[in-house]
Amino acid sequence: MSLFTSAPESLCILRLSAIGDVCNSIAMAQAIQRQWPETRLTWICGKVEARLLKGLPGIRVIVFDKKQGWQGYKAVWQALKGERFDALLHMQTAIRASIVSLGIKAKFKLGFDAARSSDLQQLFTNVKVTSPDAPHVLDGFMQFAATLGVTDLTPSWEIPLSEEDQRWADQHIYQDNTLVIAPAASKGYKNWTAEGYAALAKHAHQQGFAVILAGSPAKIEVDLGNAIEARLDFPVNNLIGQSSLKQLLALLQRAALVCAPDTGPAHMAVAVGTPVLGLYAHHNPERTGPYLSRQYVVSVYDECIREETGQSPEQLPWRSRVKDEQAMQRIRPEQVIAMFDRITLNTQS
């Protein structure tokens, strides 16, 4: 049963991190706005994620800085002092998010049901959102909107980009056929090999594509980018660590194709309509893959999880992941190159 049959006055979204999950949550927030444009939305998010949400129409952003410790919680509560929302959408199971929720006044506090909840989140909510049959994280987020009473749950994104950010991207993309490789996640075990990425880059170059490397200034990303570049005998535009989040989004929007492991830029690319060649081993791509490009994923998850557990993904709990930290090395360059050819054939025909 829907909580609202007419537009609520105000809603609070609590999704602190990470970039990919925030991207998926934007589609949910904008589904609410399509049905109830007059409803006031407040979003509490992390410091980095706020850069992505900046400028979203109709959404007030309040930053929670976890590095400030207890002062970070107090700052959020102070910003919301005297406010009461019709509903809180508590969309993150981490205990720090639940602590934040203690200072948010709302009649309804929506959280995940037992199938998707963890870290005692259910103790902090009074409405349990039924998990959908579809396993993807985004579908689970959309159930929050459905529980409120939103009927059109088709994911779509409108993330504004400044002229300055667009100009920056234009300065680095010289041709329509551009492959952007965002090679690294924050956790090293999620990353493919420098040799594999170099093989893909060489093949793309031979097919007439320009190749750009992109990502954050984190050492793990910079080091992997340099290792890829060192294995190439032609120039690539290595922009790792040289862009803001919105500049990166503009770059991904201009690309013909993005290749990435299980990391934020894969979901950012989906949000701006660019096909994604996703590389997966540790998490089920049907759960965390690039939502509109799941047919383009190269995955060894099924075989790895079966070896570790003796069960299929359908038989296992929703969060089950592969523990073998070398699992990504099972992905073979020829698999990725074949998928690249399939995608480019489909998108250019």
Side-chain angles (χ1 to χ4, degrees), residues 14 43 45 48 53 61 83 122 131 145 172 182 197 216 220 237 336 339:
L14 177 55
W43 192 320
C45 69
V48 173
L53 297 177
V61 176
E83 292 193 53
Q122 290 193 304
S131 294
H172 294 286
Y197 284 121
S216 83
I220 190 171
N237 193 358
V336 180
M339 185 60 76

Side-chain angles (χ1 to χ4, degrees), residues 131-152:
S131 294
D133 293 333
H136 201 279
V137 167
L138 191 152
D139 294 309
F141 290 165
M142 280 296 185
Q143 283 299 108
F144 280 76
T147 302
L148 294 176
V150 175
T151 55
D152 179 6

Side-chain angles (χ1 to χ4, degrees), residues 157-216:
W157 292 261
E158 291 184 20
I159 304 177
L161 290 165
S162 69
E163 290 185 5
E164 183 181 356
D165 292 332
Q166 293 174 356
R167 281 197 300 270
W168 183 89
D170 289 339
Q171 291 170 0
H172 294 286
I173 293 203
Y174 310 112
Q175 63 184 67
D176 292 338
N177 284 353
T178 297
L179 167 67
V180 172
I181 298 176
S186 59
K187 296 177 181 177
Y189 65 81
K190 290 186 177 183
N191 296 336
W192 199 31
T193 64
E195 293 80 8
Y197 284 121
L200 172 63
K202 289 177 183 178
H203 178 76
H205 177 70
Q206 291 166 359
Q207 301 303 311
F209 276 70
V211 179
I212 293 176
L213 305 180
S216 83

